[in-house]
């Protein structure tokens, strides 16, 4: 099963603003950019042209792995507000 099929089993109600706020100045100095590797939902992409981290927060599974993996402590991480965020249909 490909990632997109697995993500289809969860329901999202995205907030209007991101609950994931990286400090891009710290991200620029990060050598391994672990968030782009460890996130099970591929939320993070490093854009070499813009020299910034792209955050597709609407797909976040709220697992918290990115916050733990970030060596630069760059990420301000909060749960989405109110009834926003992910709902696990099978969990
Ligand atoms: Fe990805 Fe989990 Fe971080 Fe959400 S909390 S961005 S799913 S690693």
């Amino acid at each position: 099963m490909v990632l997109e099929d697995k993500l289809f089993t969860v329901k999202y109600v995205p907030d209007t603003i991101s609950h994931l706020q990286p400090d891009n100045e710290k991200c620029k100095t990060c050598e391994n950019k672990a968030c782009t590797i460890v996130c099970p939902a591929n939320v993070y992409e490093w854009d070499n042209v813009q020299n910034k981290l792209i955050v597709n927060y609407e797909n976040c599974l709220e697992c918290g792995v990115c916050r733990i993996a970030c060596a630069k402590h760059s990420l301000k991480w909060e749960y989405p507000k109110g009834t926003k965020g992910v709902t696990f249909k099978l969990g």
Side-chain angles (χ1 to χ4, degrees), residues 3 5 12-13 15 17 21 24 27 31-34 37 39 47 63 76 82-85 87-88:
L3 177 63
D5 291 339
Y12 299 95
V13 180
D15 205 342
I17 58 169
Q21 301 283 346
N24 204 60
C27 298
E31 291 180 10
N32 65 4
K33 299 183 178 37
I37 300 167
C39 176
D47 187 319
C63 69
K76 182 179 175 211
T83 57
K84 308 295 186 191
T87 301
F88 295 92

Side-chain angles (χ1 to χ4, degrees), residues 20 38-41 43-44 59-67 77:
L20 308 168
V38 299
C39 176
V43 166
Y44 302 99
N59 296 334
C60 176
L61 299 171
E62 301 169 26
C63 69
V65 170
C66 53
R67 183 171 59 171
W77 194 107

Side-chain angles (χ1 to χ4, degrees), residues 15-61:
D15 205 342
T16 53
I17 58 169
S18 176
H19 63 289
L20 308 168
Q21 301 283 346
D23 178 340
N24 204 60
E25 292 307 309
K26 288 183 179 178
C27 298
K28 286 178 185 175
T29 66
C30 183
E31 291 180 10
N32 65 4
K33 299 183 178 37
C35 61
T36 64
I37 300 167
V38 299
C39 176
N42 286 346
V43 166
Y44 302 99
E45 302 169 53
W46 182 257
D47 187 319
N48 282 321
V49 175
Q50 298 183 67
N51 200 26
K52 70 180 278 191
L53 192 65
I54 307 298
V55 182
N56 301 307
Y57 71 93
E58 301 91 343
N59 296 334
C60 176
L61 299 171

